[in-house]
Amino acid sequence: MAAWVPSDALGRRLLCGTEYATVRYVGSVPPTAGIWLGVEWDDPQRGKHDGTYEGTQYFKCRHPKGGSFIRPNKANFGVDFLTAVKDRYALNDERDVQHGTKNTLVFGKKTVEFVGMDSIAEQQRQVQLNQLVDISVRECAVSHAGQKEEISRTCANIRHINLSKNLISSWETVTAIASQVQNLETLNISENKMKFPSTSTFVSGAFSKLRILALNQTEITWAEVLLCAPGWPALEELYLTSNNITVLERPDNVLQTLKLLDLSDNQLLDGNQLHLIAHLPRLEQLILRNTGISSIHFPDAGFGCKTKMFPSLKRLAINDNKISQWSSINELDKLPSLRSLQCHNNPFMDTEKNPETLRQLIIAKISQLEVLNKSEILPAERKGAELDYRKIFGNDWLAAGGNWNPEKNKPSEEFLAAHPRYPSLCLKYGAPEEGELKGRQPLTLKNQLLTLTIKCPENPEQKPVEKKLPESMTIQRVKGLLYRLLKIPGSELKLSYESSKLEGKEVELDNDLKPLQFYSIENGDCVLVRW
């Protein structure tokens, strides 16, 4: 007997054993007899070809070995939502039979048969289903909604549904299920590879009360999100991780209620994509882990000013990205509501070996921050960080035109770009006193310049370079200069120097916040660069 194949099998999701796949072809494959299903596996290692067999291309795959042909009797096209619920929560008729439920009761040696026990058991099942509020049918092979109105008739009190990793093939199926759940608040349909609307569609009321929606690993694009979004008028949290979203568009009159957006594990084209979602009025939390961004910039605001972008943003996660410049951290001070930041695993953090000093730098640069990398910033810690910052970069401030006399205090644009909070810290605590800076009042810039030779001992092809550097220049800034000069990643640099007076003795420049003068470097000394 031939196996049954659904009339809409093309494009449907299926299970074959424990492997997930999408049907790309239904039909014959000569010279063999009978019907075959051409499938593209979620795991391309499971496949054998790209949809081409004996020189004929029957379907296409993204991966050259991602496809196979299977017989229909090997395919599991899934079950309806209610069947999965009953199976998961042991409320199915078949399970009752398997567990020996009978319409009889034994009193002593007498067996009494009860008429109407079937209807009583059914009523009990209905009561139990109606009591369910939070339902998880993860990995239960759900593929369709089932009979019309059956869900609303039997599960009237559902508010939260986990439908992740099932066999849902289209957004229409999700809508068909949700439309029968009157008070649906939370919906997780992650790990379902499905088709989403490609044009504007009728706005269903199915999601009118939905507050939390997870669409992780569904292959949805941002354009498709915006097409579906008119149907989510009350949405507060949207999770879109691992969807290959590369470009964003500005949401017009949609997602205006959104408080949390998670775009982690999508490789965004660049940091400027963030400007397109910067005017969501209620967005409080933005999660951008591993999105490939290398810089953050808010061009509408100058040094010491607040941006109009992300007006409500309180919590930002930018872990595991490619941010290499401290200027991006300076930019975060422009966010008017930012209180919490997670920024682990970015190249800029490698510029300072001491994690405590690194933390102090970030705290000093972002004025309103209360939590850094999940650790609370206490008032005493903030004060200490800001005082240290003011002192550490005091010589740079002086060298750049800073002065204790307010009338003569005109630090350069370059200094303000690198330290935009420095003027406000001077207002808060006063300018750093001469005693704090070891009494080193600047003479002329010329007198402060050191003539140094830059060598790369491990790269003989790189010829030595002679540079004039201010003795007040920090090691961190020296690394930044060398990064541009030698075109090598600043995060990987290791610096040391050899004194012209003590041949063979090498001193490591191991604290990025210290100036060159801290190490007693003099004219004619040699800076050694390794990476």
Side-chain angles (χ1 to χ4, degrees):
M1 183 179 171
W4 171 77
V5 178
S7 58
D8 63 345
L10 205 61
R12 283 274 297 267
R13 299 280 291 156
L14 61 77
L15 266 171
C16 181
T18 59
E19 299 287 341
Y20 289 79
T22 303
V23 180
R24 302 296 186 201
Y25 173 79
V26 180
S28 58
V29 182
T32 60
I35 298 295
W36 289 91
L37 301 177
V39 300
E40 181 176 9
W41 301 101
D42 288 11
D43 177 8
Q45 302 302 316
R46 174 72 171 77
K48 296 178 179 178
H49 50 70
D50 65 351
T52 301
Y53 180 72
E54 299 286 342
T56 301
Q57 187 169 51
Y58 292 91
F59 61 97
K60 292 181 179 178
C61 285
R62 283 179 253 188
H63 193 278
K65 293 268 186 184
S68 295
F69 290 103
I70 64 170
R71 290 295 191 182
N73 62 355
K74 298 285 187 184
N76 174 5
F77 282 98
V79 298
D80 66 87
F81 177 76
L82 264 184
T83 298
V85 171
K86 290 175 181 177
D87 282 348
R88 171 58 60 90
Y89 295 94
L91 298 171
N92 232 335
D93 297 342
E94 293 175 16
R95 292 202 177 203
D96 289 343
V97 171
Q98 287 170 7
H99 288 89
T101 303
K102 296 180 181 178
N103 297 350
T104 57
L105 201 59
V106 178
F107 289 95
K109 293 182 180 179
K110 290 185 180 180
T111 301
V112 180
E113 187 172 338
F114 283 83
V115 178
M117 280 291 282
D118 283 339
S119 62
I120 292 170
E122 178 59 29
Q123 286 173 16
Q124 287 177 334
R125 273 192 291 273
Q126 294 283 34
V127 169
Q128 286 174 296
L129 283 169
N130 264 319
Q131 288 174 345
L132 292 174
V133 173
D134 191 337
I135 282 179
S136 175
V137 283
R138 176 176 169 81
E139 290 188 89
C140 288
V142 177
S143 61
H144 55 288
Q147 292 180 14
K148 198 173 182 182
E149 304 306 324
E150 191 179 8
I151 299 171
S152 56
R153 193 169 60 248
T154 55
C155 298
N157 289 309
I158 298 177
R159 290 180 182 270
H160 314 284
I161 300 176
N162 182 350
L163 264 168
S164 59
K165 206 167 186 183
N166 278 289
L167 299 177
I168 296 169
S169 304
S170 70
W171 182 249
E172 285 89 342
T173 300
V174 178
T175 304
I177 294 170
S179 63
Q180 299 183 56
V181 183
Q182 192 174 359
N183 296 308
L184 186 62
E185 294 178 19
T186 307
L187 178 61
N188 183 355
I189 45 173
S190 302
E191 299 172 81
N192 285 286
K193 291 188 178 181
M194 67 180 95
K195 289 180 183 174
F196 292 91
S198 56
T199 56
S200 295
T201 55
F202 166 73
V203 177
S204 158
F207 307 100
S208 61
K209 295 181 182 178
L210 191 67
R211 293 187 305 103
I212 301 170
L213 175 61
L215 288 162
N216 305 323
Q217 297 180 55
T218 56
E219 301 190 345
I220 195 170
T221 66
W222 184 253
E224 290 166 344
V225 168
L226 297 186
L227 284 171
C228 294
W232 312 329
L235 196 66
E236 294 179 6
E237 297 182 16
L238 179 58
Y239 298 86
L240 296 169
T241 71
S242 305
N243 278 311
N244 297 319
I245 294 171
T246 55
V247 292
L248 303 176
E249 296 172 44
R250 186 165 178 162
D252 290 323
N253 301 316
V254 292
L255 303 178
Q256 301 299 295
T257 55
L258 206 62
K259 292 182 179 179
L260 181 153
L261 177 61
D262 189 349
L263 288 167
S264 299
D265 301 308
N266 292 289
Q267 295 304 298
L268 298 178
L269 193 61
D270 54 49
N272 291 334
Q273 295 298 313
L274 302 182
H275 298 167
L276 299 167
I277 57 167
H279 298 284
L280 292 170
R282 299 184 189 177
L283 190 67
E284 295 180 3
Q285 186 169 357
L286 182 59
I287 306 169
L288 298 168
R289 295 188 189 96
N290 188 32
T291 50
I293 56 174
S294 57
S295 65
I296 297 171
H297 183 46
F298 304 115
D300 66 321
F303 307 139
C305 301
K306 296 299 181 186
T307 177
K308 291 181 180 178
M309 299 185 187
F310 297 105
S312 302
L313 191 66
K314 294 179 181 177
R315 295 180 292 281
L316 176 65
I318 50 172
N319 321 34
D320 306 306
N321 278 296
K322 299 174 182 176
I323 298 169
S324 59
Q325 300 297 320
W326 279 95
S327 56
S328 291
I329 302 304
N330 292 337
E331 288 291 305
L332 297 180
D333 189 49
K334 294 180 180 179
L335 292 169
S337 303
L338 188 66
R339 298 293 181 272
S340 174
L341 175 67
Q342 292 181 46
C343 58
H344 278 309
N345 298 330
N346 278 284
F348 82 88
M349 299 188 76
D350 297 336
T351 60
E352 173 52 55
K353 290 180 180 178
N354 185 329
E356 205 53 49
T357 306
L358 183 72
R359 179 176 167 85
Q360 284 190 311
L361 270 174
I362 298 169
I363 291 169
K365 283 178 174 287
I366 306 175
S367 59
Q368 294 164 303
L369 210 58
E370 295 173 356
V371 179
L372 176 58
N373 292 324
K374 298 185 178 180
S375 175
E376 186 183 359
I377 301 165
L378 298 172
E381 184 182 18
R382 170 162 292 286
K383 184 176 181 180
E386 292 178 342
L387 285 169
D388 280 354
Y389 188 93
R390 171 180 146 279
K391 179 179 174 181
I392 288 166
F393 295 102
N395 282 314
D396 287 6
W397 171 71
L398 291 170
N403 199 290
W404 289 281
N405 183 341
E407 292 178 7
K408 295 180 181 179
N409 181 32
K410 294 177 181 177
S412 67
E413 286 287 303
E414 184 188 8
F415 177 83
L416 292 175
H419 307 283
R421 280 208 73 214
Y422 204 88
S424 64
L425 292 179
C426 287
L427 283 173
K428 187 174 181 179
Y429 300 107
E433 296 177 9
E434 289 184 67
E436 289 183 89
L437 304 179
K438 298 181 182 178
R440 299 185 67 91
Q441 189 158 351
L443 303 170
T444 63
L445 184 60
K446 185 178 179 182
N447 290 340
Q448 286 189 301
L449 291 177
L450 296 170
T451 303
L452 304 174
T453 303
I454 313 294
K455 285 184 182 178
C456 303
E458 294 175 359
N459 186 4
E461 292 178 12
Q462 184 78 50
K463 293 180 180 177
V465 180
E466 195 171 273
K467 292 295 289 183
K468 292 182 185 295
L469 302 177
E471 62 180 10
S472 62
M473 194 175 199
T474 62
I475 304 305
Q476 179 183 316
R477 289 182 61 195
V478 173
K479 284 184 177 179
L481 174 73
L482 293 174
Y483 164 62
R484 294 187 294 274
L485 183 70
L486 305 175
K487 296 189 170 45
I488 46 180
S491 60
E492 298 174 11
L493 294 187
K494 292 180 181 176
L495 304 187
S496 58
Y497 85 95
E498 283 182 344
S499 171
S500 54
K501 297 175 181 176
L502 295 166
E503 267 191 52
K505 187 179 179 185
E506 195 173 320
V507 179
E508 190 177 354
L509 305 176
D510 56 359
N511 189 330
D512 284 358
L513 297 183
K514 298 294 184 186
L516 290 169
Q517 65 200 22
F518 174 82
Y519 291 97
S520 304
I521 296 179
E522 298 178 349
N523 275 319
D525 287 351
C526 181
V527 175
L528 304 173
V529 186
R530 295 181 175 87
W531 62 91

